[in-house]
Structure formats: C-alpha cells, structure tokens
Amino acid sequence: MIGIMIACSLLLLLSWLMYEMGRQSINTQEDTIEEKLAYLFDPGTCRQTKKQKLCAQIGDLAQQLQISSTANQNLAEEMKSLASENDQLKEQLEFFQRLIASNTKNGISIYQFSLKETQTPGEYRYALTLIQGGERPNDFKGNLRFTVKLTQNDQSKVIPLTKKNQQLDFPVIFKFFHRMEELFKVPPNSIVENIQVEIFRNDNNKAILSETIQPAL
C-alpha cells in the first residue's frame, strides 16, 4: 500500500510538472508573437526590418504628397491675390484713361459712386470718386450732401447723412480727383432703396451735379 501511494504521488507530481511546463511554454510563445507583431507594426522600427527600402519609399511619397498639398494651397492663395490685384489695376487703368480723356473737358464729373451693405446688419458703405477736367484746372472748393431713401415698417423715408458734428455738408477741396469712403447705419427693420449725392460750389447754393444709386447686390 505504501508503495502504491508513493507511485501515485510521483505520478501526480510528474503530471503537475508537465502541466506547468506546457503552460509556461504557451505563455512564452504568446509573448514572443506579441513582441514580433508590435515590432512589425511599430513605425519607429520599420526601417530596421528587411522592408527598409519599401518604408523609405512610403516615407518619401508621404513627404511629396504633403509638399504638393502645401504648394497647391499656396498657389491657390497666390492666384486669388493676383486676381484681386488684376482687378485693382484694371480699375486704376480705367480711372486714368477717363481722367486723361476728361482733360479736354472742363468741369466736375462723378467717376465712381457705389453703395454696399457690410457684414454688420444695418450698416452700409458708400464710396465716391470725383474728377475735374481741363488743361490747368483751379482747385475745386465745394461741399457734398448725401441723402438716403429707405423703407421702414412699410413707410418711405428720406434721411440726410451727417458728419460726426451733425453737419450736412462734406467739404471737399481738390484739383484733379477726390475719393472718399464712409460708413453709415440705418434704423432697425429698414431697407435702403438708394443714396443720392449732390455737389455744390462754395459760392452757389444750387447743386451743379447729382447722382442716385441703389445698393449693389
């Protein structure tokens, strides 16, 4: 009986040892596989593997793609800037062509008059450019008056624009051309229909020139 018990104990011990050895072997293999997978998919060790050439090509392509994207963005911004400059040059060219043509005619004329609504609700921006023709024109001294026609709550109103000191007249003195650009606000729930400018000489209360425009879309 003692011999049988010893034999059984040895068999149990041997079985436990084999089980532990097998379990440790499996864990070791799993850890080795995880390490290999982490190594293969780690970008930092990509160039240290046998696929160094492929990794280098992928890196170069990614860098070229980034450079190309940046270049395209810069090119688009440059083209937009050039288009804006081109429009300004065209406007200036037309202005000087008209200014030269007007030198044969004496008197004041309105070269440009525009009205646009700004991003701020109820705020508008107007711009006015005056030119004077003639071989040797004298300085023009006069005043400008602006009136805005609007609709508020289905009622039509005409509101004069004033300076900061509440004056109606905008004094101007120039020889060849004069440009001004100002902002104004209208009451809430108002729709601007048009704006009118009248030009007066200092020695005359009758307007020598006037023009009315509507807001640009």
Side-chain angles (χ1 to χ4, degrees):
M1 292 293 294
I2 294 174
I4 293 173
M5 291 178 63
I6 293 174
C8 291
S9 299
L10 292 174
L11 289 174
L12 290 173
L13 179 60
L14 181 61
S15 299
W16 180 80
L17 290 173
M18 293 179 64
Y19 169 77
E20 285 295 324
M21 292 176 63
R23 185 174 63 83
Q24 292 179 4
S25 177
I26 293 174
N27 292 337
T28 302
Q29 291 179 359
E30 291 178 350
D31 293 340
T32 303
I33 293 174
E34 290 179 358
E35 291 178 359
K36 289 183 177 180
L37 290 175
Y39 179 81
L40 289 174
F41 291 95
D42 184 8
T45 60
C46 179
R47 295 183 181 274
Q48 300 177 7
T49 65
K50 296 181 180 179
K51 299 179 180 179
Q52 181 177 2
K53 184 177 180 180
L54 179 59
C55 290
Q57 292 177 351
I58 294 175
D60 293 341
L61 289 175
Q63 186 176 7
Q64 291 178 9
L65 181 61
Q66 184 178 5
I67 294 174
S68 178
S69 178
T70 303
N72 290 336
Q73 184 178 1
N74 294 337
L75 180 60
E77 294 177 355
E78 185 176 355
M79 290 180 63
K80 184 178 180 180
S81 176
L82 289 175
S84 178
E85 293 179 2
N86 187 39
D87 293 338
Q88 293 178 2
L89 289 175
K90 286 183 179 180
E91 183 179 351
Q92 292 176 3
L93 178 60
E94 292 176 359
F95 169 74
F96 284 111
Q97 286 176 344
R98 185 167 179 176
L99 182 61
I100 293 173
S102 66
N103 284 335
T104 58
K105 301 179 182 179
N106 296 325
I108 304 297
S109 62
I110 297 176
Y111 168 71
Q112 185 184 38
F113 190 28
S114 62
L115 176 64
K116 294 182 180 180
E117 187 174 7
T118 67
Q119 298 294 333
T120 303
E123 184 180 69
Y124 290 79
R125 181 189 302 275
Y126 66 92
L128 175 67
T129 303
L130 303 176
I131 58 177
Q132 180 177 211
E135 293 183 0
R136 295 180 180 180
N138 296 322
D139 290 347
F140 174 80
K141 300 178 181 180
N143 296 287
L144 307 177
R145 292 180 186 174
F146 298 89
T147 54
V148 176
K149 183 179 180 182
L150 54 84
T151 301
Q152 184 182 23
N153 299 325
D154 297 330
Q155 294 183 356
S156 181
K157 299 181 180 180
V158 177
I159 301 176
L161 296 183
T162 60
K163 300 184 66 177
K164 294 181 179 180
N165 54 6
Q166 301 301 316
Q167 290 184 355
L168 295 177
D169 293 341
F170 291 74
V172 291
I173 300 177
F174 68 96
K175 183 179 292 290
F176 295 107
F177 70 93
H178 174 79
R179 176 175 172 81
M180 63 178 299
E181 190 171 345
E182 299 287 345
L183 295 171
F184 69 90
K185 290 186 177 182
V186 296
N189 303 322
S190 300
I191 300 176
V192 175
E193 296 183 13
N194 58 54
I195 182 174
Q196 182 187 55
V197 60
E198 294 179 298
I199 305 174
F200 299 85
R201 293 186 184 275
N202 283 345
D203 56 353
N204 196 338
N205 292 327
K206 184 179 180 180
I208 61 174
L209 191 64
S210 66
E211 185 172 339
T212 302
I213 59 167
Q214 298 177 347
L217 299 178

